[in-house]
Amino acid sequence: MKLGIDEYASLNSPLHRWDARYKLVGLIILVFAFSFLRDLRMLLAMVLVTAAIYIVSGLPARFILRWLRFPSFIILVIVLTLPFLSGETVIANLGPLALHQEGLLAALLIAVRFVCIVTVGITLLGTTPLLNSIKAMRALGLPLIMVDMALLAFRYLHELGQDLGRMLTSMRLRGFRQHSFSPAGLKTFAWLSGSLLVRSYERSEWVYKAMILRGYGQSSRPQGEFKTHPADVFILVAVALTAAALVAGDILLGHNIAAILQ
Amino acid sequence: MHIPDGILPIGVTAAGYAATAAVTWYSLHKVKQKEDPRQDIPKASLMTAAFFVVSLIHIPIPPTSVHLVLNGLMGALLGYYAFPAILIGLFFQAVMFGHGGLTTLGVNAIIMGLPAIIAAYIFRLRKIGNKESPRKDGVFGFLAGFVALGLSVAMFVAILLTSLPADLNAAVEQTAIFALAIAHLPLMLIEGVITAFLVIFLRRVRPAMLSSL
């Protein structure tokens, strides 16, 4: 199981040095501003902002290409079918299929927003170790139960993934054909899943005892984990102003992807 | 069956986050009413990790393969912990594998998490009457898995089709709904059957897991 979003978190760039709390707030502002945009010209501006952020991050190109290489199946289906299923203005005929301008623009809007939101999200989360991002969420007020659950789940994801790999190997060695379907196979998959759940449940009992011995539950929200520097605030203000400019530009231009054609 | 970034308008994604915050608050409120809520946190956390890992198993359904969702079983085993567990699982899926999205995290949590809570109540119905049996557990396990996935699919299709930034005509919309319903029916059956098998397995091996959280 590959858990690689923060594999380049140890690089040194302004985004890597940015306080994780401010980075999360900036990320939320930016991705929601992106999801607001509809004007074709502002989509171009969004692409430029995204490219600038990625370049500043110093992350290698292959990192983001790995994330975008297999876009979501739903995105593919929508982007490939909308131009033929939606709209009234026919701009081309491809055999029995008519290509519609409205559907094409909607597909373009979805594809560009998808790429930009994913790129910005991966860039900002990929420049901080994931554990630090979760701690930043705690500092921003995420309920402690959620934080504890996220940290513990993250801690054991990799181990349980290895457990699953070992169990699948054992099953194959005993003759189980993982890639062929049979009703009895469903029961085997259920028992495999059940065994993993039972192992996790039993392990959780030991973990709880170990945590209690170490004083779990005695401390409240940790203080002083993060320290604000003027540069952190400056970058957040710059990001917020950029997001505000994109949204304002979109509203002024008509908040419509086809505005440029009208 | 997660909605990715880029499709939904900001109103829907913001409403999804607001609804998720409300349901999470209510779930944590119910969890905190327990005598010692800390005791269950490691169990809920490791089960969250286990469900995440189990959802990576691909089950061959020729000509393709499917992965389990198991939100019905999560509801049945975790009760009100299921919603925060699903929210955490979806966050990890979004940042580790690119499944789902960051702006759509709230909407996806509602799509997966609300049916899990309903499944928890469905599974509790097995306690009606005084006779407990593996068959009864299996039947209610099947219903929990089948109904939870069915509700998730219905919400997923409804949100997706009503939020596309393009107008589809009624005939296309009906065809899409029909095709998605037909495509997901076998998955709902498989999810129900595996949930039933799992519940029976857990009853035999570790019955405390069926009533611990």
Side-chain angles (χ1 to χ4, degrees):
Chain A
M1 194 169 53
K2 194 160 60 179
L3 312 172
I5 190 173
D6 53 3
E7 67 178 289
Y8 293 105
S10 58
L11 299 180
N12 190 10
S13 78
L15 288 183
H16 285 82
R17 291 191 294 273
W18 194 14
D19 184 304
R21 294 167 304 166
Y22 290 87
K23 204 185 293 187
L24 276 178
V25 174
L27 169 66
I28 291 166
I29 293 172
L30 213 50
V31 293
F32 273 97
F34 281 6
S35 65
F36 177 82
L37 303 181
R38 289 180 66 95
D39 186 275
L40 208 51
R41 288 155 288 189
M42 296 317 293
L43 294 188
L44 182 63
M46 177 169 75
V47 171
L48 294 175
V49 169
T50 304
I53 289 173
Y54 198 76
I55 290 168
V56 169
S57 75
L59 295 169
R62 65 176 177 277
F63 179 65
I64 193 62
L65 290 178
R66 199 174 71 204
W67 287 93
L68 295 173
R69 192 174 43 187
F70 300 111
S72 155
F73 177 70
I74 300 165
I75 288 282
L76 275 181
V77 169
I78 290 176
V79 167
L80 293 178
T81 57
L82 262 191
F84 301 102
L85 297 178
S86 171
E88 292 168 353
T89 317
V90 178
I91 52 174
N93 282 302
L94 304 172
L97 299 172
L99 192 66
H100 297 101
Q101 178 185 298
E102 295 85 352
L104 195 62
L105 288 174
L108 181 71
L109 173 69
I110 289 173
V112 174
R113 277 204 311 216
F114 170 78
V115 170
C116 290
I117 292 173
V118 169
T119 305
V120 165
I122 295 304
T123 306
L124 294 189
L125 288 171
T127 49
T128 309
L130 194 51
L131 278 180
N132 281 8
S133 295
I134 296 171
K135 286 176 184 170
M137 289 178 202
R138 174 171 61 191
L140 290 171
L142 188 71
L144 289 176
I145 291 182
M146 295 281 291
V147 175
D148 286 350
M149 282 179 67
L151 290 173
L152 270 170
F154 182 73
R155 161 73 180 80
Y156 285 98
L157 271 179
H158 200 73
E159 277 186 39
L160 294 179
Q162 286 176 334
D163 278 359
L164 176 67
R166 277 193 291 269
M167 289 159 82
L168 281 171
T169 305
S170 308
M171 287 166 65
R172 279 195 298 270
L173 285 171
R174 291 186 180 94
F176 178 64
R177 293 171 64 201
Q178 194 187 338
H179 299 294
S180 61
F181 176 80
S182 70
L186 286 185
K187 195 180 218 177
T188 310
F189 276 116
W191 287 9
L192 166 70
S193 309
S195 303
L196 199 69
L197 289 171
V198 169
R199 282 182 184 211
S200 310
Y201 183 84
E202 288 173 349
R203 188 178 281 174
S204 78
E205 291 180 333
W206 310 326
V207 169
Y208 176 65
K209 285 172 188 160
M211 286 165 68
I212 288 293
L213 284 172
R214 289 171 175 82
Y216 176 62
Q218 303 304 311
S219 60
S220 55
R221 201 176 289 272
Q223 301 292 323
E225 274 188 307
F226 296 95
K227 199 175 168 192
T228 303
H229 296 94
D232 299 324
V233 182
F234 176 77
I235 301 176
L236 180 61
V237 170
V239 166
L241 286 176
T242 306
L246 288 172
V247 170
D250 195 80
I251 293 170
L252 287 174
L253 291 170
H255 191 49
N256 184 351
I257 191 166
I260 199 169
L261 304 170
Q262 288 161 2
Chain B
M1 209 174 50
H2 310 322
I3 299 181
D5 287 314
I7 299 175
L8 302 183
I10 190 167
V12 178
T13 51
Y17 265 100
T20 292
V23 180
T24 305
W25 175 84
Y26 184 73
S27 300
L28 295 180
H29 171 72
K30 296 293 275 186
V31 161
K32 284 176 187 167
Q33 285 177 341
K34 295 192 169 193
E35 201 174 319
D36 184 6
R38 290 176 315 159
Q39 190 174 351
D40 292 333
I41 289 175
K43 282 179 197 159
S45 311
L46 265 79
M47 300 288 271
T48 304
F51 276 111
F52 183 98
V53 170
V54 167
S55 74
L56 300 176
I57 301 174
H58 282 264
I59 296 182
I61 307 288
T64 180
S65 68
V66 296
H67 74 88
L68 298 170
V69 178
L70 292 183
N71 56 342
L73 185 71
M74 281 184 96
L77 295 189
L78 299 182
Y80 276 101
Y81 272 109
F83 195 86
I86 285 173
L87 181 56
I88 290 166
L90 288 173
F91 172 72
F92 284 140
Q93 282 191 338
V95 300
M96 287 173 182
F97 302 113
H99 297 167
L102 292 173
T103 56
T104 52
L105 185 61
V107 171
N108 286 329
I110 292 294
I111 288 175
M112 295 290 167
L114 274 187
I117 294 176
I118 292 168
Y121 281 101
I122 291 173
F123 194 61
R124 279 184 202 174
L125 292 177
R126 78 192 191 284
K127 290 181 179 169
I128 291 177
N130 49 10
K131 195 182 163 197
E132 286 195 22
S133 71
R135 185 174 294 177
K136 204 170 167 186
D137 284 352
V139 169
F140 282 99
F142 174 84
L143 287 175
F146 183 85
V147 172
L149 188 60
L151 287 174
S152 292
V153 170
M155 288 164 77
F156 169 80
V157 172
I159 291 173
L160 201 59
L161 288 183
T162 55
S163 304
L164 279 178
D167 293 324
L168 295 175
N169 67 45
V172 171
E173 235 168 64
Q174 278 175 6
T175 311
I177 291 172
F178 185 69
L180 285 166
I182 293 291
H184 280 95
L185 197 59
L187 302 186
M188 287 160 59
L189 287 169
I190 287 172
E191 188 89 7
V193 168
I194 288 201
T195 307
F197 280 142
L198 264 162
V199 163
I200 293 168
F201 174 83
L202 294 176
R203 184 189 156 94
R204 279 186 199 153
V205 177
R206 211 49 208 262
M209 286 177 72
L210 295 181
S211 54
S212 64
L213 290 172

